[in-house]
Amino acid sequence: MKVLIAQPVHEDGNSQLENEIKRNPDINMLLFPEGYLSCENKLAKTCSLAKENNKLIITSYRKENKNRAAIIDPKGNLILERAKTPPDEKEELITPLSVSYKNIEIGYLLCMEILKGIRDLKKVNKALNFIAHPIGVGMFSDEQFNLWIEEAKNIARTYKTMIIGTSHADGSYRNCGVSIPISYCIGSDGEPVYIAKSDTRTRILDLDTKEVTII
């Protein structure tokens, strides 16, 4: 199975998502960042897009100015939807943290939730084929970039699963003015399949062979 990993710029619609589907008809899944879908109307349109093109779409949408998890199956059904976990350290990850699709168990961490992954993914009592990690904007420092990659490596080793993350190409955390776009895939052994730092090109990952194509 092939997953397209995108680093779009923020937009009101979903034209970048639609264009990626048109340009790459042989892909099975698409991973887009946290908050790519700006509202519930855009989520509904994206469900229709998934059904029309028979694609599984992993992303996030905004509702009442808050980001929420979203995985849409190729029939246009929202098969995973939940709130984002509050950042307070005492708050455990909100479930569900995974969903089954065609005998594949897909884990899901939304942006800063990765910092709670080692502790709380034990709630998932199934083996994960991979974890999707939609990120809102790029990292605000090299230190944060390195920290999140190390967390991803530790999660991959601990739960023996691949983890794939991506951010928007633009924007910055709390409009601080600093942004290091990030896209990555860590294998189930904790070793990088690829790490993209300030390189916002779209990638296609073959989940079976681990081959990565830059487009």
Side-chain angles (χ1 to χ4, degrees), residues 177-189:
V178 178
S179 178
I180 305 171
I182 181 173
S183 174
Y184 73 86
C185 175
I186 306 298
S188 58
D189 57 358

Side-chain angles (χ1 to χ4, degrees), residues 48-205:
S48 297
L49 184 67
K51 183 177 181 180
E52 291 166 7
N53 294 277
N54 193 38
K55 306 298 182 188
L56 186 140
I57 298 172
I58 305 171
T59 186
S60 157
Y61 76 105
R62 293 187 67 79
K63 179 180 180 180
E64 297 174 354
N65 207 33
K66 292 183 179 180
N67 289 308
R68 297 182 66 88
I71 298 181
I72 306 163
D73 76 7
K75 294 182 179 180
N77 300 312
L78 194 59
I79 58 174
L80 187 148
E81 195 281 340
R82 64 167 173 83
K84 182 179 179 180
T85 308
D88 189 294
E89 187 177 349
K90 296 179 182 178
E91 296 278 356
E92 294 189 359
L93 288 175
I94 294 173
T95 57
L97 296 173
S98 71
V99 67
S100 298
Y101 168 71
K102 285 191 174 181
N103 298 318
I104 296 175
E105 194 69 20
I106 303 172
Y108 188 105
L109 294 172
L110 188 54
C111 203
M112 288 187 290
E113 290 182 344
I114 193 172
L115 302 177
K116 303 173 188 278
I118 288 288
R119 185 191 69 189
D120 293 346
L121 278 171
K122 61 180 181 289
K123 294 180 180 182
V124 180
N125 56 11
K126 299 179 181 179
L128 297 170
N129 293 90
F130 71 93
I131 298 170
H133 179 212
I135 304 166
V137 295
M139 305 290 95
F140 56 74
S141 67
D142 288 331
E143 290 76 15
Q144 187 197 17
F145 189 102
N146 294 333
L147 172 63
W148 284 35
I149 290 294
E150 286 304 310
E151 288 294 324
K153 290 179 179 178
N154 290 335
I155 289 169
R157 291 190 193 101
T158 301
Y159 294 97
K160 297 179 175 58
T161 188
M162 180 185 292
I163 179 166
I164 310 165
T166 191
S167 76
H168 283 92
D170 64 339
S172 62
Y173 179 66
R174 294 184 177 177
N175 296 316
C176 69
V178 178
S179 178
I180 305 171
I182 181 173
S183 174
Y184 73 86
C185 175
I186 306 298
S188 58
D189 57 358
E191 294 301 315
V193 175
Y194 81 88
I195 297 173
K197 183 177 184 179
S198 297
D199 178 352
T200 59
R201 292 175 293 178
T202 297
R203 288 163 170 81
I204 295 175
L205 168 68

Side-chain angles (χ1 to χ4, degrees), residues 9-28:
V9 297
H10 289 83
E11 64 171 331
D12 290 332
N14 61 358
S15 62
Q16 292 166 96
L17 175 61
E18 188 171 2
N19 289 338
E20 291 290 12
I21 291 174
K22 290 178 180 178
R23 288 198 306 156
N24 303 282
D26 61 332
I27 59 169
N28 308 103

